[in-house]
Amino acid sequence: MTSCLLIALALAAAPGEPITLDTQKQLFLDDYVVGSCRNLSRQIHPALKFAGNPVLRPTEPWEGDATILYGSVIADGQKYRMWYTAAGNVAYAESTNGTDWKKPALGVVTLDGRDTNLVIRANAPPDSPGAIPYFHEAFGAFRDDRDPDPGRRYKLGFLSIQRDYSGPNVDRFHPNQRRGLGVAVSADGIHWRLYENWATEATIDGATHWMFDPKRQKYVLYGRTKFALPEVQAAVADKPWTHFWGRSVIRAESPDFLRWDQSKPGSGELVLTADAKDPVGNEIYSMMVFPYEGIYIGLVQMFQKRRDTCWLEIQLAVSRDTVHFSRVGNREAFIPVGPEGSWDRFNNSIAMGPPLVRDDRLWFYYGGRTYRHSPFNGPEYPYHGKDRGKHWGAIGVASITRDRFVSMTASSDEGELVTKPVRLTGNVLHLNAAAGGGEIVVEMLDGKGAVVARSKPIHQDGWDIPVAWEGKAPKDLQSPVTLRFRIREAKLFALWCQ
C-alpha cells in the first residue's frame, strides 16, 4: 500500500488542456487524473484465486510432471481454447466454461500407440508429425482475424534456438547460438507449420509476450534481454548467492506479427529492468502487456531472489505509451505465490494475452509450480539443488471485478482526492467504488475552487454507481470543472462519464 502524499498543485496550475471524462474509465494505477490527495493510499487488490484451482493438471503420460502455462487461453466462438507446455511440447485443451478442461485426441501426434492432445513436439525428427525446426519453447498462440490468409488464421510464437551456430547473428549472451522469435501458423490452431524461425532476434530467451495495440495498429512484443543498472550491478557484485543474470524487458513492433522493426540481435528497446527499489538480486523475468481503458497494464513476472530461496510472482506496471512503464504501488504481488503445501507455491507464470472478460470480472490464467526456479542456495538446497517432496506444476485462474486493480483508499480519517481539471462529456458521472461500510461524497468545483454541486452520499459497493446530485446537477457540464472526492472507510477504483 502506497501513501498518497499531498501534491501541492494549485487547481489553475494544471498544465495542458482539461482531461476529457467520457465513457473510457479513468483508473488509478497512476496519477494521470489526480491533482492532489491527502489521507489516501493507493492499494493494489490481488486477484482472487479460483477455489477449484488448479483447473488443468498433468494427467497423461506424455505431459510429464508439469502442465505449464507457457501458452495462451482465448475465447474462440462458443468455447475456450488453451495451448500449454507439457514436457517441452505444446499441448491443447478446450472448455465450455473456462474451468472444466478436456484434452481431446487430435490425430496429430501419436505416442506409444496412443493418440494425444499434442500439437507441436520439441526435439522431434524433422519429418515427424508436430515437428517444427529449431523449436525450443512455446510463448503463446492467438487468433489473427486481421491476416487475409485463412491458412495463417492462428499464429504461435516460440523461442527458436539454433545450436552450434557461428554465423553473423550469433547471440551475444549465448555463445555459438542463434536465438529469436519463431512463428508457426495454422488454419485451425491444431495443425501447425513453420512460417519463420527468426522473425526477430531482439528477444533472446523464454517468457516473451506481445499484444495488439489498437492505437498504433501494430503488434508490440515484450521480450527478454540482459541488462543491469550500475547501482543494481554494484549491489549484487559481492553477493554470489544471487546468481544474478540481469533479466530485463525489451520492446519491438510489427504490423503483422511477421515483420518486426527491431530484428537484429540485441536491437530491442529496453523498457523495464530491476532498480534500486527492488530487493538485491531481483530480476524482471518477463512482462505481459495488454491495452485497457486507454492505458497499458503490465503483468510483471518478478524473479524474487533471497539467500536461501527464490520465487516468481506477478506484479503490476502501467504505461501510457507502451514504452515508459512505472511499477504500481509498493510493488506488492497482484498474483502471489501460494502458501506452504500449495500447487503454486514457488513459480508463477502468466498466460500470453489479455485477460478474459466474464460478466463483471476479468479472468487471468496462470501457471504455478511446487518447486523453485534454479539456481538457489540454502541449508538443504545446494546450487542447482532440488526441492524435497513432489515436483509438479499445473494451471489455474484468478479474477478481479472489472477495473479493480487499484483503489484510492481511505480509513476512518476522511481522505480527499481532487482531480485535475476535467471536461465531462456526458450527463451522468459514474464510479466504481466500495463504500458499503463507509461513504463517498463528490463535489464539483469551478475554476476558482468554489463548490457548484455536491452529490448525495454514496453508501454502496458496485462497479457501476451513477452519481446522484443534491438538488439539480449543474447545467453546464461541458465546462472544465474539478471533482473533489471526500472518502471515508471506502475505496475508489475508477470514474467515467456517459
Side-chain angles (χ1 to χ4, degrees):
M1 186 180 295
T2 300
S3 296
C4 182
L5 302 176
L6 179 63
I7 304 171
L9 292 175
L11 298 179
E17 292 295 318
I19 295 171
T20 298
L21 274 188
D22 53 20
T23 56
Q24 181 171 280
K25 277 74 172 285
Q26 293 294 335
L27 280 62
F28 294 101
L29 282 84
D30 62 11
D31 286 335
Y32 174 74
V33 76
V34 178
S36 66
C37 58
R38 62 174 177 81
N39 290 342
L40 293 175
S41 61
R42 177 175 278 113
Q43 182 180 3
I44 291 175
H45 291 262
L48 177 65
K49 295 179 179 180
F50 176 55
N53 278 345
V55 298
L56 189 143
R57 64 177 71 206
T59 58
E60 307 300 332
W62 53 83
E63 291 179 318
D65 295 327
T67 49
I68 300 171
L69 201 51
Y70 272 40
S72 306
V73 180
I74 68 171
D76 195 356
Q78 299 300 310
K79 62 185 176 183
Y80 299 93
R81 310 183 73 184
M82 178 190 295
W83 294 266
Y84 63 97
T85 296
N89 307 305
V90 179
Y92 172 82
E94 56 188 37
S95 171
T96 58
N97 61 8
T99 57
D100 299 305
W101 291 87
K102 296 181 179 180
K103 303 172 183 178
L106 301 171
V108 177
V109 176
T110 300
L111 295 175
D112 297 326
R114 287 187 58 186
D115 197 359
T116 73
N117 67 324
L118 299 182
V119 295
I120 294 178
R121 286 191 66 194
N123 304 313
D127 296 331
S128 60
I132 297 287
Y134 300 125
F135 176 91
H136 179 76
E137 182 177 83
F139 295 145
F142 66 102
R143 180 183 171 112
D144 185 5
D145 290 319
R146 300 174 187 86
D147 196 317
D149 184 349
R152 301 193 303 233
R153 182 64 61 237
Y154 295 86
K155 294 183 174 69
L156 183 141
F158 64 93
L159 176 60
S160 204
I161 299 181
Q162 181 179 354
R163 304 181 191 278
D164 299 322
Y165 176 79
S166 58
N169 289 340
V170 67
D171 186 273
R172 62 192 178 105
F173 302 120
H174 301 88
N176 302 318
Q177 291 186 16
R178 187 179 188 186
R179 289 181 166 225
L181 171 70
V183 178
V185 295
S186 172
D188 58 6
I190 303 299
H191 302 86
W192 295 91
R193 60 182 174 86
L194 177 67
Y195 182 85
E196 171 62 62
N197 274 118
W198 320 106
T200 172
E201 295 173 67
T203 185
I204 53 103
D205 208 350
T208 288
H209 300 276
W210 55 83
M211 67 167 178
F212 183 78
D213 182 7
K215 293 181 181 178
R216 285 176 171 75
Q217 288 293 298
K218 288 184 179 181
Y219 292 93
V220 183
L221 176 144
Y222 295 93
R224 181 180 292 169
T225 191
K226 179 179 180 180
F227 176 84
L229 294 168
E231 56 268 32
V232 172
Q233 192 66 56
V236 301
D238 61 345
K239 298 176 179 62
W241 55 265
T242 63
H243 308 291
F244 188 75
W245 199 82
R247 296 174 180 89
S248 301
V249 179
I250 56 92
R251 176 187 181 281
E253 286 188 359
S254 170
D256 55 8
F257 198 73
L258 306 173
R259 297 166 294 138
W260 295 85
D261 65 335
Q262 304 290 345
S263 60
K264 296 181 180 180
S267 61
E269 178 182 16
L270 182 74
V271 294
L272 196 66
T273 189
D275 59 32
K277 294 181 181 179
D278 289 307
V280 174
N282 276 21
E283 301 179 45
I284 307 293
Y285 200 83
S286 73
M287 181 170 65
M288 195 281 288
V289 180
F290 60 98
Y292 190 87
E293 296 293 344
I295 60 177
Y296 303 91
I297 297 177
L299 300 183
V300 180
Q301 190 183 17
M302 172 58 68
F303 198 169
Q304 297 274 7
K305 293 276 192 71
R306 301 297 182 268
R307 181 179 293 273
D308 60 351
T309 190
C310 63
W311 68 97
L312 287 98
E313 65 185 16
I314 310 302
Q315 300 180 359
L316 290 174
V318 64
S319 174
R320 296 261 165 190
D321 61 4
T322 78
V323 177
H324 302 91
F325 284 85
S326 58
R327 313 268 289 284
V328 177
N330 279 338
R331 306 181 180 187
E332 304 96 326
F334 176 65
I335 303 180
V337 293
E340 290 82 355
S342 61
W343 67 277
D344 57 353
R345 178 68 183 98
F346 285 117
N347 192 335
N348 285 355
S349 58
I350 196 71
M352 204 297 298
L356 301 185
V357 180
R358 298 285 303 273
D359 299 322
D360 64 343
R361 300 192 70 79
L362 302 179
W363 283 33
F364 300 85
Y365 286 86
Y366 72 102
R369 282 173 258 185
T370 63
Y371 52 94
R372 295 166 174 86
H373 188 296
S374 65
F376 60 89
N377 286 336
E380 299 179 358
Y381 314 112
Y383 182 77
H384 279 295
K386 294 292 185 182
D387 286 319
R388 295 181 177 181
K390 183 180 180 181
H391 281 220
W392 66 290
I395 295 169
V397 65
S399 67
I400 63 170
T401 301
R402 285 195 193 187
D403 310 333
R404 292 192 171 188
F405 295 92
V406 168
S407 68
M408 303 302 285
T409 301
S411 66
S412 56
D413 294 329
E414 183 181 84
E416 178 185 278
L417 185 149
V418 181
T419 69
K420 296 172 183 174
V422 296
R423 189 181 301 277
L424 285 67
T425 62
N427 295 320
V428 180
L429 180 67
H430 294 253
L431 306 182
N432 185 331
E439 179 178 279
I440 297 177
V441 173
V442 188
E443 295 174 330
M444 191 175 293
L445 313 179
D446 64 17
K448 297 181 180 179
V451 177
V452 295
R454 181 176 287 109
S455 76
K456 296 178 180 179
I458 296 168
H459 301 287
Q460 67 185 95
D461 184 341
W463 65 283
D464 186 355
I465 303 172
V467 174
W469 301 95
E470 293 180 346
K472 294 183 178 180
K475 296 180 181 179
D476 191 10
L477 290 179
Q478 300 298 321
S479 299
V481 296
T482 301
L483 301 176
R484 180 163 62 198
F485 295 85
R486 298 188 182 278
I487 306 171
R488 181 180 286 109
E489 288 290 344
K491 305 176 188 294
L492 177 63
F493 295 92
L495 64 148
W496 67 99
C497 190
Q498 63 185 46

